[in-house]
């Protein structure tokens, strides 16, 4: 099985940077995903890491260290629309995803 | 319109009743999934199907059944609903043969069992 931990809540100011950490313990690893979920909506894909290192996509970056079972999602130049829940998910060897409980990010003006 | 649709959007159901949640995708994805999302617990996998004609159990399969008669449809059935099945249900699909194989989610069904 998978054990995935991420903080429950984070608050930041508009224009700032926020880093959401995710640690995991897995039986098999086949990639780590980050999803964004606005309240009352479906999750949407943000990023995918399968090799160690940093993947950058505009204002969002995701980092992975497989040896440490650690990932983070970095949100830069925060905007009010970034207020959402961010879900860390690990894919196992059978291509099934296990999700963390999610981190609710609140962006304040 | 490409994507995943789910029906109904929401439903209130009496305990003991049978209910089928519908999910259809038009992206020709080989894999489909059903999750439930509960406050504080995140998304949990109920059942999945890697290809038409095959299904598998996820983390919380008890009380639910699925079928995958074709590529597009993946219905989830609650044979005899219980209040603990009150949740938001998301269907998802992916093409595991394509790159990251990211999952695309439907809009969800909010189910209340009384």
């Amino acid at each position: 099985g998978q054990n995935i931990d991420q903080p429950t809540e984070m608050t930041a100011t508009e224009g700032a940077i926020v880093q959401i950490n995710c640690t995991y313990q897995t039986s098999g690893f086949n990639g780590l995903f980050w999803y964004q979920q606005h309240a009352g909506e479906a999750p949407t894909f943000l990023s995918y890491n399968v090799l160690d290192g940093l993947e950058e996509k505009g204002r969002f970056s995701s980092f992975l260290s497989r040896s440490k079972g650690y990932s983070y999602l970095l949100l830069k130049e925060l905007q009010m629309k970034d207020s959402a829940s961010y879900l860390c998910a690990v894919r196992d060897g059978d291509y099934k995803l296990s999700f963390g409980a999610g981190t609710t990010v609140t962006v304040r003006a | 319109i490409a994507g995943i649709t789910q029906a109904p959007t929401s439903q209130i159901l009496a305990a003991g009743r049978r209910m089928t949640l519908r999910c259809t995708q038009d992206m020709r994805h080989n894999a489909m999934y059903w999750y439930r999302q509960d406050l504080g617990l995140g998304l949990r996998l109920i059942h999945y199907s890697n290809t038409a004609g095959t299904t598998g159990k996820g983390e919380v399969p008890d009380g639910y059944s699925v079928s995958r008669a074709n590529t597009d449809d993946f219905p989830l059935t609650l044979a005899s609903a219980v209040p603990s099945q009150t949740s938001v249900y998301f269907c998802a699909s992916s093409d595991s043969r394509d790159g990251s194989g990211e999952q695309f989610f439907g809009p969800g069904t909010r189910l209340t069992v009384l």
Side-chain angles (χ1 to χ4, degrees), chain A residues 6 17 21 24 31 33 35 43 52 58 74 83-84 94 97 106-107 109:
Chain A
Q6 51 182 129
I17 298 173
N21 296 323
Y24 62 90
F33 294 77
Y35 282 81
D52 291 351
L74 196 68
S83 291
D94 293 327
L97 281 184
T106 302
V107 181

Side-chain angles (χ1 to χ4, degrees), chain A residues 11-85:
Chain A
T11 301
T13 305
E14 198 173 13
I17 298 173
V18 69
Q19 177 174 315
I20 306 170
N21 296 323
C22 173
T23 58
Y24 62 90
Q25 294 173 313
T26 66
S27 55
F29 178 84
N30 203 351
L32 187 142
F33 294 77
W34 285 95
Y35 282 81
Q36 180 189 59
Q37 185 177 26
H38 286 100
E41 297 182 9
T44 55
F45 170 78
L46 283 180
S47 69
Y48 167 70
N49 295 71
V50 67
L51 299 176
D52 291 351
L54 188 68
E55 294 283 339
E56 296 187 85
K57 236 189 215 184
R59 295 188 298 113
F60 294 180
S61 303
S62 57
F63 172 83
L64 175 67
S65 169
R66 289 171 297 170
S67 62
K68 295 182 179 178
Y70 168 71
S71 172
Y72 67 73
L73 179 69
L74 196 68
L75 286 62
K76 294 176 276 190
E77 301 169 18
L78 278 172
Q79 302 175 9
M80 299 300 288
K81 67 178 181 180
D82 297 330
S83 291
S85 186

Side-chain angles (χ1 to χ4, degrees), chain B residues 58-76:
Chain B
E59 182 185 352
V60 287
D62 294 343
Y64 306 94
S65 64
V66 291
S67 61
R68 187 89 184 275
N70 56 61
T71 299
D72 299 343
D73 302 300
F74 191 42
L76 176 74

Side-chain angles (χ1 to χ4, degrees), chain B:
Chain B
I1 300 176
I4 302 180
T5 58
Q6 292 184 235
T9 302
S10 65
Q11 182 75 45
I12 298 174
L13 190 65
R17 296 297 295 270
R18 180 184 179 89
M19 176 74 191
T20 294
L21 308 185
R22 299 185 298 278
C23 174
T24 299
Q25 55 104 357
D26 62 2
M27 298 177 281
R28 307 303 294 172
H29 285 169
N30 58 321
M32 296 187 74
Y33 313 84
W34 273 105
Y35 295 90
R36 59 178 290 171
Q37 187 172 37
D38 303 290
L39 198 62
L41 295 178
L43 286 156
R44 292 181 293 167
L45 183 65
I46 304 171
H47 284 288
Y48 66 97
S49 168
N50 285 332
T51 189
T54 69
T55 62
K57 293 182 179 179
E59 182 185 352
V60 287
D62 294 343
Y64 306 94
S65 64
V66 291
S67 61
R68 187 89 184 275
N70 56 61
T71 299
D72 299 343
D73 302 300
F74 191 42
L76 176 74
T77 297
L78 290 66
S80 179
V82 295
S84 61
Q85 291 178 312
T86 293
S87 188
V88 180
Y89 291 85
F90 287 102
C91 179
S93 72
S94 70
D95 187 343
S96 58
R97 301 159 298 188
D98 179 21
S100 69
E102 68 190 80
Q103 292 187 14
F104 295 82
F105 285 81
T109 293
R110 185 174 296 274
L111 182 67
T112 303
V113 182
L114 301 176

